[in-house]
Amino acid sequence: MDDWTHVRSKKSRKKKPRAKERKQDNNMSQSSTVSTTQLTELESSPENVGSLVEYVTLELKRIKFMPFFAALCKSFSTALSSAPTHMVMYGIGPFSNAINDDASLTHKYTPGTQLAVALLLMEHFSCNTAIYHDPVMTELEVTTLKTLNSNIQILENNNRGVYCIDDLLQHKPDDCIMYMPHCPLALYSNVIWSNWSKLLLKRLFIFGNSFESYHFEADISPNASNACFYPLLPFMTELDVVLGVEFESAFWSSKIIYIHPDQQQEFEKKLVDAVGVGVGEDEGAGSSLLVRPSLPEPHLDTDELL
């Protein structure tokens, strides 16, 4: 279709615009550019930052003492082997729509709620640092996050989930929460791939969509069958999250996913480290061992990822 050439008849050919008309068009173009620049500055203005900070702060106060958050913290405490010192947050979405009158109630509610719960988890567990990335972040959202919590580091480059938590933990045996509600399957797969080691996967606690539900969809979804976390499912536990009606849109199908302590001994026998200090220590990897698949290269260019 790119090779098609449209030929216009002589009768339909338009005259070239006069110099005056061209000048007017240029002025309109310049005016449009100025307006766009002014709009960007307006979006990240102190007034809008203040409004968005106020909105998130109200969400924090509203959710903090609700039964949902108390149950979530209890579930995390059941799963965690120690208090998590770090968090990684992926794909929360455009929470700044909360102050946009044109946004629908559902659309503006969900990202704002997800962000508030993430910030509350950081506070509850006294997390030292958090990594945050969303590919559609605005300057307003960046400024707001820095205002709300100076311990949040914003990733500018889209790593598509290829992130080793050891870079964050600095080789310390600390637990890390991967906060990823409603992220694409390939993103979860890339996170597992990037942390394929006995030590790191035991320290990884994912809050996101059920891996088991993806497993059931493998027969009808071509991409689902390629997820590298499937071999690990026998060693993983998924804790349910008790939701109220008003949290269903934000956290529907969300679970706390981790390697269960009762399975860790068998897990350590079978997993062949691909990252970290244990690389090269396993010998004679046979069919019964869990060797990291050749991923995520096929996933990196898909539209499903952040």
Side-chain angles (χ1 to χ4, degrees), residues 137-169:
M137 283 194 77
T138 64
E139 199 63 39
L140 170 59
E141 290 168 341
V142 171
T143 305
T144 299
L145 274 179
K146 291 179 179 179
T147 303
L148 288 166
N149 193 320
S150 60
N151 291 327
I152 295 178
Q153 300 175 14
I154 298 171
L155 288 180
E156 295 183 0
N157 297 325
N158 187 358
N159 58 26
R160 294 172 170 84
V162 182
Y163 184 84
C164 181
I165 62 171
D166 200 34
D167 298 337
L168 190 61
L169 300 178

Side-chain angles (χ1 to χ4, degrees), residues 7 46 156 176 185 239 244 261 273 288:
V7 179
E156 295 183 0
C176 179
L185 176 147
L239 287 183
D273 287 336
S288 63

Side-chain angles (χ1 to χ4, degrees), residues 12-294:
S12 63
R13 189 174 297 165
K14 295 181 179 180
K15 295 180 181 180
K16 293 183 179 180
R18 297 175 182 176
K20 183 177 180 181
E21 292 174 345
R22 290 199 301 268
K23 184 176 180 181
Q24 288 177 343
D25 290 341
N26 289 337
N27 289 339
M28 289 177 64
S29 176
Q30 292 174 3
S31 176
S32 176
T33 303
V34 171
S35 297
T36 302
T37 304
Q38 289 175 341
L39 180 60
T40 303
E41 292 175 351
L42 178 63
E43 288 175 347
S44 57
S45 66
E47 292 79 12
N48 277 350
V49 171
S51 296
L52 192 53
V53 168
E54 181 182 8
Y55 163 75
V56 177
T57 302
L58 290 174
E59 280 291 272
L60 293 171
K61 292 178 179 178
R62 183 180 72 87
I63 296 171
K64 186 173 184 177
F65 299 105
M66 295 186 73
F68 158 75
F69 185 68
L72 180 63
C73 291
K74 185 177 180 180
S75 295
F76 263 113
S77 297
T78 300
L80 294 163
S81 57
S82 62
T85 56
H86 298 81
M87 285 181 66
V88 179
M89 309 175 196
Y90 277 130
I92 286 178
F95 63 90
S96 62
N97 281 347
I99 61 171
N100 180 1
D101 293 335
D102 296 330
S104 67
L105 180 61
T106 301
H107 186 58
K108 72 180 182 181
Y109 177 81
T110 299
T113 300
Q114 290 177 350
L115 174 62
V117 171
L119 294 174
L120 287 171
L121 285 173
M122 279 191 70
E123 177 187 294
H124 180 81
F125 291 112
S126 301
C127 292
N128 299 329
T129 308
I131 301 295
Y132 188 102
H133 177 74
D134 192 282
V136 294
M137 283 194 77
T138 64
E139 199 63 39
L140 170 59
E141 290 168 341
V142 171
T143 305
T144 299
L145 274 179
K146 291 179 179 179
T147 303
L148 288 166
N149 193 320
S150 60
N151 291 327
I152 295 178
Q153 300 175 14
I154 298 171
L155 288 180
E156 295 183 0
N157 297 325
N158 187 358
N159 58 26
R160 294 172 170 84
V162 182
Y163 184 84
C164 181
I165 62 171
D166 200 34
D167 298 337
L168 190 61
L169 300 178
Q170 298 293 310
H171 310 297
K172 296 177 182 177
D174 297 331
D175 291 344
C176 179
I177 296 175
M178 299 291 298
Y179 189 86
M180 307 171 61
H182 301 328
C183 284
L185 176 147
L187 195 66
Y188 296 115
S189 186
N190 285 356
V191 166
I192 296 295
W193 187 92
S194 305
N195 293 279
W196 195 277
S197 82
K198 301 176 182 67
L199 177 61
L200 296 181
L201 287 178
K202 289 191 302 181
R203 300 296 182 190
L204 200 61
F205 295 81
I206 297 175
F207 182 50
N209 292 5
S210 168
F211 287 4
E212 288 286 353
S213 66
Y214 284 128
H215 183 55
F216 292 133
E217 295 171 2
D219 293 336
I220 60 175
S221 175
N223 289 331
S225 61
N226 295 325
C228 72
F229 55 72
Y230 284 151
L232 305 182
L233 287 180
F235 307 99
M236 288 181 161
T237 291
E238 296 192 354
L239 287 183
D240 291 328
V241 177
V242 180
L243 301 175
V245 175
E246 57 185 314
F247 292 100
E248 286 183 353
S249 61
F251 300 110
W252 179 83
S253 184
S254 293
K255 310 283 185 179
I256 299 173
I257 306 166
Y258 64 104
I259 304 295
H260 195 278
D262 293 345
Q263 299 291 340
Q264 286 185 6
Q265 186 174 357
E266 188 68 17
F267 165 76
E268 291 178 358
K269 288 180 181 178
K270 292 191 173 183
L271 192 86
V272 178
D273 287 336
V275 295
V277 294
V279 175
E281 292 182 359
D282 300 280
E283 297 180 359
S287 58
S288 63
L289 297 183
L290 299 172
V291 181
R292 185 172 74 170
S294 299

